Amino acid sequence: MSLRPILIHPDPRLKKVATPVAQVTDDIRRLADDMLETMYDAPGIGLAAPQVGVMDRLLVMDCIKDPEATPEPMVLINPEVTETSEETNVYEEGCLSIPEQFADVERPAEVTVKWLGLDGQTHSEHFDGLWATCVQHEIDHLNGKLFIDYLKPLRRQMITRRMVKLKREKARA
């Protein structure tokens, strides 16, 4: 396993729609392992393949934040939301590709998601709370959408300018 660099917004790859994964291969398993290690190291609760420059429909997540609790890493390949609740929740979201920026985003409170697992089998699960928010946020990444796309244009532009400045500073260092 190895850490992969996380792309920082604005990067055109973050706005592209990822390609479905044809089959679970050793390369896909390696990518999933690397992404989990990268996500935990960041630290974050979710990471989509486009965030590490791989345009495959794959995401990893683990919403267990308590360091005393057992981690619950999940790998979802070709995930798709099959049901959403009418009820919504508002969470303050952040993103590893938009560091240190947070904003309230409204999403369905509960979702059912179907995906292909590393075992090659189709899985389906009902998510609520933080898990529901996280899986929707990561699926958005697979569709070229960022959490700031839910914000008013002025706020989105302000955050984008901060990210451009951050990237310039990192390039100089």
Side-chain angles (χ1 to χ4, degrees), residues 33-77:
D33 286 345
D34 288 355
M35 286 174 59
L36 281 166
E37 185 177 350
T38 301
M39 177 191 78
Y40 286 128
D41 181 71
I45 60 169
L47 187 66
Q51 291 180 272
V52 293
V54 178
M55 299 313 296
D56 287 338
R57 294 189 74 79
L58 184 150
L59 67 85
V60 298
M61 63 181 195
D62 183 351
C63 294
I64 302 299
K65 290 178 154 184
D66 180 357
E68 303 298 312
T70 305
E72 291 184 29
M74 295 186 75
V75 176
L76 287 69
I77 301 167

Side-chain angles (χ1 to χ4, degrees), residues 22-165:
Q23 66 184 55
V24 180
T25 62
D26 286 343
D27 285 344
I28 290 294
R29 287 185 190 89
R30 225 176 346 271
L31 171 62
D33 286 345
D34 288 355
M35 286 174 59
L36 281 166
E37 185 177 350
T38 301
M39 177 191 78
Y40 286 128
D41 181 71
I45 60 169
L47 187 66
Q51 291 180 272
V52 293
V54 178
M55 299 313 296
D56 287 338
R57 294 189 74 79
L58 184 150
L59 67 85
V60 298
M61 63 181 195
D62 183 351
C63 294
I64 302 299
K65 290 178 154 184
D66 180 357
E68 303 298 312
T70 305
E72 291 184 29
M74 295 186 75
V75 176
L76 287 69
I77 301 167
N78 301 333
E80 65 181 79
V81 175
T82 57
E83 288 180 49
T84 60
S85 65
E86 287 189 23
E87 180 190 348
T88 60
N89 270 345
V90 175
Y91 272 99
E92 184 180 61
E93 294 187 25
C95 181
L96 297 177
S97 291
I98 309 174
E100 298 178 24
Q101 302 299 310
F102 302 92
D104 287 344
V105 177
E106 184 176 5
R107 299 182 184 272
E110 300 178 29
V111 291
T112 301
V113 178
K114 179 177 83 171
W115 72 91
L116 188 64
L118 289 176
D119 58 4
Q121 301 299 306
T122 299
H123 299 266
S124 181
E125 191 168 325
H126 182 82
F127 296 100
D128 60 12
L130 183 58
W131 288 90
T133 297
C134 183
V135 75
Q136 290 174 83
H137 175 111
E138 299 309 329
I139 289 172
D140 274 355
H141 274 297
L142 302 179
N143 294 324
K145 188 169 187 172
L146 302 172
F147 86 92
I148 61 171
D149 294 332
Y150 290 92
L151 307 179
K152 289 188 165 65
L154 191 61
R155 180 92 195 276
R156 188 170 52 244
Q157 289 166 359
M158 192 173 72
I159 290 172
T160 298
R161 280 196 296 272
R162 285 187 196 138
M163 293 301 100
V164 169
K165 184 178 176 191

